[in-house]
Amino acid sequence: MEKNLEFPDLLRLIDERSTAFRAVVAAAPGLDAQVPTCPGWTLSDLVKHLGGGDRFWAAIVDAGSADAPPAEAVAARAALEVPQEREALLAWLDASTQLLLGALRAAGPESGCWTWWPASQSPQTAGGVARHRVQETAVHTYDAQLAWGAPTPLPVELALDGVEEFLFTVCATPSAWPHKPTAFDFHATEGLSWRLTVDGDGARITRIPAPTAATGEESDAAGASVHGTASELVLYLYDRIQAESLRVDGDAGLLDLLRAWEPEEK
């Protein structure tokens, strides 16, 4: 996948992963099942979080360009009540997804809106929201599957886009890296690679050539390189699996510094 996913693909994947999430909830033995990757949450809590997030972002996209999320959307999310009976809860969740998809379709990918990532490499647009919600929905589907022991890898096209989306949205920043300048490489076995460079000018991400058996790592090797499937890389970035589950070359301790880093907003 050389190009980012197109807007219609993002909407399709939101719908597909939301459907997969609902299927897990429908088949689970009970809504009180604990979610290991979301400590303290039950499956019911996860449904409320995902559906509430869909409704929240639908309101944000509907509001257009803004310096803050709509006050009514913030209040509605804080006071959110959801059905307790499974069938009604699933219907509410489906309606939540459709609200989000409807708002995104009506706005179009270039429509501006508030986001929490103004200083990142991701745009503050409906397209940026769609790209992020794909990943949120996919990772929470994995969480739901794990709640009763049947997790599956993230779909490849989604996961390949997800590595870059996470790095662009969560890691990119103009805030200075407080340690010695270095770089982190992320290599997906499906053939895409990214470099996260951190220094006094902040953190920025670029795509880089994937290493091959003939060339090995680049001559300007990163401080730490992480290798895995795209699904594994996304799950690692979202703290669902640990670095020990992946192949790490270089100084693995740098990954701890990266995970602990909390850049100041600028």
Side-chain angles (χ1 to χ4, degrees):
M1 187 184 73
E2 295 299 325
K3 298 192 302 181
N4 294 336
L5 292 171
E6 299 291 339
F7 191 61
D9 293 319
L10 297 174
L11 301 188
R12 169 179 57 82
L13 287 167
I14 290 173
D15 196 24
E16 288 180 1
R17 287 296 88 197
S18 297
T19 299
F21 183 91
R22 292 195 304 274
V24 175
V25 176
L31 297 178
D32 59 349
Q34 295 294 309
V35 182
T37 42
C38 301
W41 280 19
T42 64
L43 194 54
S44 180
D45 294 326
L46 191 60
V47 172
K48 180 178 180 179
H49 172 76
L50 186 62
D54 283 348
R55 290 169 182 262
F56 179 69
W57 283 106
I60 286 171
V61 170
D62 280 338
S65 296
D67 295 327
E72 58 272 21
V74 175
R77 192 173 195 182
L80 186 65
E81 297 288 343
V82 301
Q84 298 303 305
E85 190 272 326
R86 190 189 309 237
E87 186 174 344
L89 183 63
L90 288 169
W92 173 85
L93 183 58
D94 185 24
S96 302
T97 302
Q98 298 312 312
L99 282 173
L100 174 62
L101 291 173
L104 291 169
R105 290 191 186 99
E110 302 304 322
S111 178
C113 63
W114 174 87
T115 71
W116 53 258
W117 54 81
S120 76
Q121 288 179 227
S122 289
Q124 289 190 281
T125 62
V129 170
R131 195 181 188 199
H132 188 63
R133 288 306 290 175
V134 168
Q135 301 305 321
E136 290 271 299
T137 307
V139 171
H140 285 320
T141 299
Y142 173 87
D143 292 332
Q145 292 171 340
L146 198 62
W148 61 290
T152 59
L154 277 57
V156 173
E157 66 168 337
L158 181 156
L160 282 170
D161 198 57
V163 179
E164 183 169 290
E165 194 280 331
F166 186 98
L167 294 173
F168 274 26
T169 303
V170 179
C171 297
T173 176
S175 295
W177 170 250
H179 308 288
K180 181 180 177 181
T182 190
F184 301 86
D185 287 352
F186 296 87
H187 300 294
T189 57
E190 293 86 353
L192 290 183
S193 295
W194 301 264
R195 170 160 291 186
L196 168 62
T197 301
V198 291
D199 54 27
D201 293 326
R204 54 206 172 274
I205 295 88
T206 55
R207 282 191 184 181
I208 59 174
T212 66
T215 62
E217 296 288 345
E218 299 87 346
S219 57
D220 55 337
S225 296
V226 184
H227 301 253
T229 66
S231 176
E232 289 170 338
L233 292 177
V234 171
L235 294 174
Y236 166 72
L237 290 168
Y238 274 91
D239 204 20
R240 266 48 182 187
I241 63 174
Q242 300 304 305
E244 291 76 16
S245 301
L246 304 165
R247 176 186 141 203
V248 177
D249 295 333
D251 184 355
L254 290 172
L255 294 172
D256 295 329
L257 294 180
L258 180 62
R259 192 172 291 281
W261 185 33
E262 296 184 0
E264 295 181 3
E265 293 186 8
K266 289 189 177 181

